[in-house]
Amino acid sequence: MKLGGKIALVTGGGNGMGRAYCHRLAGEGATVVVADIDRAAAERVVGEIREAAVPLEVDITSQESVTRAVRAVLDRHPGIDILVNNAGGAAGERALLVDTDLDTWNANLLLNLTGTFLMCREVIPSMRTRGYGKIINVCSGSVFSGITAALFVAPERRNNLVPYLAAKGGILGLTRALAREVGEWGIRVNAVAPGYTLTERAKRTLAPEAPPQVLERQIFRRPGTPEDPAGAVVFLASPDSDFMTGQTICVDGGWVAH
Ligand SMILES: NC(=O)c1ccc[n+]([C@@H]2O[C@H](COP(=O)([O-])OP(=O)(O)OC[C@H]3O[C@@H](n4cnc5c(N)ncnc54)[C@H](O)[C@@H]3O)[C@@H](O)[C@H]2O)c1
């Protein structure tokens, strides 16, 4: 058990990869705060986890909600040792960039980049006080190629690729720059970049099966599962990675290796 006695907060923990992170972190002994805008989903995951877990309702895009939620955790626990900024996804109307309105652009930055900023800003002071902390941001392997699975599905199902990837690219800059700022306080900031992952949401909104063009670009020709990046998250949360900061681990079946 690598994480005994630690408190881990996972945003977007109610579904998809966030749910898998909650299960694995709890399995390693952490008390997991399953934080999600969807309280019922968070409660469902808490019910699945046999180890210690608590639900937390939070909208990471709202300063007021983030402040209230983090305070509620800190009222009950001595601190937050591990913060996984996982909540995110493509937001707004689907369109090519030339047809993208400002609201959609802003919605993608808000959910994927500003939400991570707000969570980091709220949690870091308590990590600083304790002289230790692990922040794990969630990027996307597609940032490195500019290609997502959305390119290979019917036009009406295509995500708004450019604003989403621009926001995820911002996560890389945030991760590296923040790592420099908070290193002297004992806080490590790293990222995971999952590849194409067949979550329930991806099946519903993009395509029920992996588009063959996606698998052809990978070295391992199967779609990612929500469990695939969970080992990297546990590693980045554990003391095994204490000498690492500002790094991004791609868990993508070799998508980025091309
Ligand atoms: N699925 C993929 O192929 C893929 C690939 C690379 C990166 N990612 C990234 O991985 C992360 C998880 O993706 P997923 O496919 O598992 O997502 P998902 O849609 O299955 O789950 C996302 C969770 O976040 C919650 N959420 C949404 N908005 C929120 C908000 N404002 N505040 C708090 N919670 C909120 C949802 O309720 C949901 O439970 C996202 O950041 C996504 O961009 C996904």
Side-chain angles (χ1 to χ4, degrees), residues 19-251:
R19 171 176 169 266
Y21 303 156
C22 290
H23 277 267
R24 283 294 299 276
L25 292 165
E28 291 294 341
T31 296
V32 178
V33 180
V34 183
D36 208 292
I37 197 169
D38 180 346
R39 186 170 183 96
E43 281 172 354
R44 204 164 46 238
V45 172
V46 167
E48 294 165 359
I49 294 176
R50 287 160 195 243
E51 295 83 0
V54 287
L56 179 74
E57 189 174 328
V58 64
D59 176 359
I60 62 159
T61 69
S62 155
Q63 170 70 81
E64 189 261 324
S65 173
V66 166
T67 301
R68 188 165 21 86
V70 172
R71 280 207 188 127
V73 178
L74 294 177
D75 281 348
R76 284 189 206 99
H77 301 281
I80 295 168
D81 305 290
I82 299 155
L83 168 64
V84 185
N85 285 309
N86 162 77
E93 296 298 319
R94 293 161 195 247
L96 299 176
L97 184 78
V98 288
D99 300 320
T100 295
D101 58 38
L102 186 57
D103 285 348
T104 293
W105 174 265
N106 285 337
N108 279 276
L109 291 184
L110 184 62
L111 177 58
N112 291 286
L113 187 54
T114 308
T116 295
F117 154 66
L118 291 176
M119 287 301 303
C120 288
R121 193 173 62 173
E122 205 67 36
V123 169
I124 283 171
S126 83
M127 290 181 167
R128 183 183 184 186
T129 303
R130 286 149 63 90
Y132 187 80
K134 296 280 203 168
I135 296 176
I136 300 147
N137 296 325
V138 175
C139 178
S140 167
S142 292
V143 162
F144 301 98
S145 61
I147 301 170
T148 76
L151 277 181
F152 306 121
V153 298
E156 69 278 6
R157 294 178 79 83
R158 280 184 195 161
N159 282 326
N160 31 31
L161 176 67
V162 180
Y164 169 68
L165 284 193
K168 288 296 191 192
I171 298 267
L172 289 184
L174 185 154
T175 299
R176 290 181 188 168
L178 184 60
R180 290 196 179 274
E181 274 194 12
V182 300
E184 64 181 289
W185 302 335
I187 303 170
R188 283 81 173 163
V189 189
N190 292 290
V192 290
Y196 174 65
T197 306
L198 258 187
T199 57
E200 291 308 313
R201 182 197 47 77
K203 284 186 204 166
R204 221 172 36 244
T205 60
L206 209 56
E209 304 284 342
Q213 299 95 323
V214 173
L215 303 187
E216 281 158 18
R217 286 187 62 91
Q218 296 179 188
I219 293 172
F220 301 131
R221 303 211 165 168
R222 68 160 174 83
T225 68
E227 289 73 29
D228 280 318
V233 168
V234 167
F235 169 64
L236 292 176
S238 82
D240 286 349
S241 60
D242 271 358
F243 201 48
M244 269 180 76
T245 196
Q247 298 298 310
T248 300
I249 301 178
C250 293
V251 186

